[in-house]
Amino acid sequence: LGFACLTHHDPTRLLEEMRLSVSVSALLPDSSCLQIEQVTIQDDGVVISVQARSSTSCCPLCGRASDRVHSQYTRRLADLPWHGRSVRLQLHVRRFFCSVPDCTRRIFAERLSAVAGVHARTTNRLREAHCLIAMALRGEPGARLAKSLAMATSPDTLLRRIQGLSVSVPSSIRVLGVDDWAWRRRQRYGTILCDLERRCPVDLLRERTAQALRDWLQQHPEIQVISRDRGDDYIKGATEGAPQAVQVADRWHLLRNLRDALVRTLDRHQAVVREASRTCAVKPAPQKPTQLVAEPPTTRRLTAQSESRRARRLQRFEEVKQLHAHGVSQRVIAERLGIHRGTVRRFVHASSFPERAQRRYRRRADSSTAYLRRRWGEGCRNAARLTKELEVEGFNRSYHSVRRQVARWRRQDGGAVVAPGALGRRRSSITRPSSRRISWLLLKTDDSLEPDEREFVQVLQERSPELRTAAELAREFREIIRQRKKEAWSDWLVRARAPETAKELRTFADGLQKDEAAVQAALTLEWSNGQVEGQVNKLKTLKRQMYGRANFDLLRRRFLRAR
Ligand SMILES: [Zn+2]
């Protein structure tokens, strides 16, 4: 017993060596079963000779202990590095005779499962470290990091480490949240399952199908509540797979479905929307009615890029319309054109091309534009000065942006460049807010609207009683969901399904009626998929780290191990 570098044999040194040896043992994978024979510190690493402490070992076949040693051999195991030096264990393994007469195994080698697997060439703990590296970085980059940490391994080994991980699915889930996640956006979706009580993901499914969900649920008869969206797949899967469970329509999805219905209604009322936006946009500012002629358009400048983007979208819209006219199903259209099914659905139901949403900074830009417009009317034409004034007024707008605006008005003042017809067309297609944006406005309460928004909403509702009713129903439904007004539900449902209601909202209400038990559960039970959203985001991050090259199994293992 001793260190190769220490060769003294006076009693105090020996005692020191012993103490050192005992404390070094603490650095071994399992000091209770291994003892050190020798430690050699070399330039390229540390070699530790070890052997088992126990004088006996158990036969792997019959389980009886034996102390009759047959022979010995050396096993080499890579271990965790010490202070940047790689560590190799030279493990002296003994072979034993099995002394049980009727055991078929005559000779066996001792096993040290706490240290390493049977044929492993690394200790368990180094394996675990490699696994962590593999999960963070995968093959090639992981191997590079491992090498610089003095625990070198190959990229293939790292990938095998992840594949070798077992991921267990907990068996006592009471409340389950089911949602979908984009494996490839707009094309392929999978299913994520979360334990809503423990607030953690429990499994990932490759697909978003009724069958996949049903098969999974059949393994989990303990589930009592399932929160899910109102997609047919999940309803069917949950009903067949877990008939014992109460299904809850997820409140967030309910509100999203509501807004989609409102958007579709608005898509159908493009003409009214156009009129209303024209009425509101052309209206003169009350204090300066004479400026009407020089009224600059509030349009954001159309860049060549956004023009072409719009053209592409328009083309897609026409393709969808055409395919639909030929009787191609919406699902097939989505697959063939590589666009989202929701988009296909919108396009199919829209009476005319639905414009894209305006940028978010729109309103802010508009209020600074209103100021500029007033100053322009007062005769100030100097962009630099206007920029300074804006700054004092608390607007954050660049000199270049102001100069562009001023230059545009100057051109219009000259009257030569922009033909009125062209301007009119452009305005009608672009200044009009998108259906999505209007749907937000319609859902807002009166006092949370800006004055110009309120006016727009009023004009819109005056011109179309159908839109007014639709908006009222939508606002009511939102309140019912938000405040769980269970008592208001059945009355709302009757009115929403009345023949005079906009057909998109009627369809929405019909769908709710079909799924009524789940909707009512959403008004009674607290469960909702809000937290699942966070898990989906985690999954997205993980997927991005894997650079899209990961296969499903790898992703699933990594995701569930990280929970
Ligand atoms: Zn035996």
Side-chain angles (χ1 to χ4, degrees):
L1 175 78
F3 280 76
C5 47
L6 303 175
T7 47
H8 298 278
H9 286 284
D10 63 276
T12 47
R13 279 316 273 267
L14 192 61
L15 204 65
E16 243 171 61
E17 284 178 26
M18 296 274 286
R19 258 209 306 272
L20 200 54
S21 167
V22 167
S23 49
V24 168
S25 313
L27 299 175
L28 289 176
D30 187 345
S31 55
S32 66
C33 76
L34 290 181
Q35 64 182 12
I36 294 181
E37 293 174 318
Q38 197 173 53
V39 177
T40 314
I41 300 175
Q42 299 166 342
D43 285 343
D44 62 336
V46 181
V47 179
I48 311 170
S49 298
V50 288
Q51 66 174 25
R53 277 180 193 277
S54 166
S55 58
T56 61
S57 182
C58 292
C59 167
L61 209 61
C62 65
R64 224 46 102 59
S66 165
D67 60 355
R68 292 171 53 217
V69 177
H70 168 272
S71 58
Q72 203 178 45
Y73 68 98
T74 305
R75 235 179 113 179
R76 286 182 178 75
L77 288 170
D79 194 17
L80 287 179
W82 285 10
H83 289 263
R85 285 173 206 257
S86 64
V87 172
R88 271 164 296 159
L89 297 184
Q90 278 185 346
L91 179 60
H92 301 300
V93 185
R94 293 163 296 180
R95 290 193 188 91
F96 288 86
F97 291 107
C98 179
S99 34
V100 175
D102 46 353
C103 180
T104 52
R105 186 59 89 63
R106 305 304 317 147
I107 299 163
F108 64 89
E110 63 186 332
R111 306 206 164 169
L112 298 160
S113 54
V115 178
V118 179
H119 299 293
R121 282 153 63 190
T122 56
T123 57
N124 292 341
R125 62 187 192 175
L126 178 61
R127 201 187 169 89
E128 186 64 27
H130 280 157
C131 205
L132 293 173
I133 291 177
M135 290 210 283
L137 293 171
R138 299 196 68 213
E140 288 285 350
R144 280 197 293 278
L145 176 68
K147 191 179 174 199
S148 66
L149 294 176
M151 41 210 266
T153 184
S154 72
D156 286 346
T157 308
L158 285 182
L159 290 185
R160 269 204 311 279
R161 290 289 170 267
I162 306 182
Q163 271 146 13
L165 284 177
S166 58
V167 283
S168 57
V169 174
S171 59
S172 56
I173 309 156
R174 213 175 60 86
V175 184
L176 184 77
V178 182
D179 214 329
D180 56 13
W181 57 279
W183 176 237
R184 182 161 299 151
R185 219 172 139 233
R186 292 161 184 225
Q187 289 178 30
R188 236 175 96 200
Y189 286 84
T191 301
I192 180 170
L193 304 166
C194 290
D195 184 329
L196 295 183
E197 279 181 315
R198 295 197 190 94
R199 310 182 71 83
C200 68
V202 289
D203 212 343
L204 280 187
L205 307 181
R206 194 185 292 273
E207 295 162 327
R208 178 180 60 183
T209 58
Q211 195 185 353
L213 181 61
R214 184 194 62 201
D215 292 350
W216 191 92
L217 284 172
Q218 281 170 347
Q219 313 292 316
H220 293 271
E222 76 276 13
I223 291 172
Q224 292 171 24
V225 178
I226 299 175
S227 170
R228 45 122 180 108
D229 67 21
R230 293 189 314 110
D232 291 341
D233 288 335
Y234 288 160
I235 296 181
K236 188 158 178 271
T239 310
E240 290 175 3
Q244 79 283 358
V246 174
Q247 295 180 31
V248 183
D250 177 48
R251 286 191 289 277
W252 185 83
H253 281 99
L254 282 174
L255 292 178
R256 197 179 65 174
N257 296 156
L258 168 73
R259 236 189 52 236
D260 289 345
L262 208 49
V263 167
R264 283 198 295 277
T265 315
L266 286 159
D267 282 349
R268 195 162 49 79
H269 288 80
Q270 291 281 305
V272 184
V273 171
R274 201 157 28 224
E275 268 174 49
S277 54
R278 209 174 283 149
T279 313
C280 295
V282 189
K283 206 156 200 172
Q287 71 271 44
K288 282 279 168 187
T290 49
Q291 287 304 310
L292 181 57
V293 187
E295 180 83 354
T298 53
T299 325
R300 91 180 143 87
R301 197 167 61 95
L302 263 187
T303 60
Q305 201 186 12
S306 69
E307 288 258 32
S308 79
R309 226 181 281 137
R310 183 177 178 276
R312 238 180 301 143
R313 192 162 171 269
L314 182 61
Q315 190 194 345
R316 219 179 295 148
F317 171 73
E318 280 158 3
E319 282 169 351
V320 169
K321 281 289 195 193
Q322 212 168 9
L323 287 170
H324 181 66
H326 282 88
V328 181
S329 80
Q330 294 185 21
R331 184 190 287 255
V332 174
I333 297 178
E335 273 166 19
R336 199 179 293 176
L337 300 181
I339 55 181
H340 193 260
R341 271 171 67 189
T343 311
V344 173
R345 191 165 165 203
R346 258 192 88 190
F347 282 178
V348 163
H349 291 289
S351 62
S352 63
F353 180 56
E355 291 293 345
R356 256 274 191 256
Q358 299 270 338
R359 298 242 176 118
R360 282 175 195 279
Y361 56 68
R362 175 78 206 272
R363 190 197 301 163
R364 195 189 178 83
D366 275 355
S367 43
S368 70
T369 304
Y371 178 84
L372 285 180
R373 190 184 298 151
R374 185 162 66 77
R375 293 289 294 132
W376 180 265
E378 287 163 10
C380 181
R381 315 259 138 143
N382 183 320
R385 186 169 160 199
L386 287 170
T387 311
K388 285 224 180 70
E389 287 183 15
L390 277 182
E391 212 176 288
V392 174
E393 294 289 316
F395 295 107
N396 180 20
R397 204 165 157 180
S398 77
Y399 165 69
H400 289 287
S401 151
V402 174
R403 201 178 64 171
R404 270 203 304 275
Q405 178 88 73
V406 169
R408 204 151 53 230
W409 291 343
R410 193 170 286 139
R411 273 203 305 277
Q412 282 163 23
D413 250 10
V417 187
V418 187
L423 183 67
R425 258 208 311 283
R426 199 174 251 203
R427 285 182 64 184
S428 69
S429 63
I430 297 304
T431 53
R432 179 159 33 108
S434 71
S435 301
R436 196 151 288 274
R437 165 116 183 86
I438 302 173
S439 73
W440 281 113
L441 296 182
L442 288 180
L443 279 171
K444 277 188 179 179
T445 49
D446 249 9
D447 50 322
S448 59
L449 289 169
E450 301 283 318
D452 54 333
E453 293 171 341
R454 194 177 311 147
E455 190 197 346
F456 176 76
V457 168
Q458 269 168 10
V459 171
L460 195 61
Q461 295 191 354
E462 272 162 25
R463 286 180 187 238
S464 165
E466 195 182 47
L467 273 182
R468 177 193 293 279
T469 320
E472 278 166 7
L473 283 167
R475 282 193 291 267
E476 275 176 48
F477 182 75
R478 195 191 50 181
E479 285 314 296
I480 289 175
I481 292 296
R482 282 194 177 165
Q483 297 174 20
R484 320 251 181 103
K485 289 156 86 175
K486 210 178 169 192
E487 65 288 348
W489 159 250
S490 45
D491 175 54
W492 181 90
L493 191 64
V494 170
R495 279 185 297 131
R497 298 181 72 209
E500 62 273 17
T501 305
K503 67 178 181 191
E504 292 80 6
L505 235 74
R506 220 164 51 218
T507 310
F508 170 67
D510 286 345
L512 293 181
Q513 199 260 331
K514 267 186 222 144
D515 199 19
E516 193 169 7
V519 177
Q520 284 192 334
L523 300 178
T524 326
L525 300 173
E526 63 186 302
W527 302 109
S528 189
N529 276 2
Q531 47 166 303
V532 181
E533 199 67 12
Q535 300 296 348
V536 171
N537 282 335
K538 268 189 210 163
L539 183 62
K540 264 187 215 159
T541 312
L542 197 59
K543 195 158 58 84
R544 220 169 289 139
Q545 279 173 9
M546 296 166 91
Y547 309 105
R549 285 176 310 193
N551 62 26
F552 173 76
D553 281 330
L554 211 56
L555 182 66
R556 174 172 174 269
R557 274 171 219 278
R558 278 189 63 173
F559 181 60
L560 295 179
R561 284 287 288 209
R563 73 190 160 198

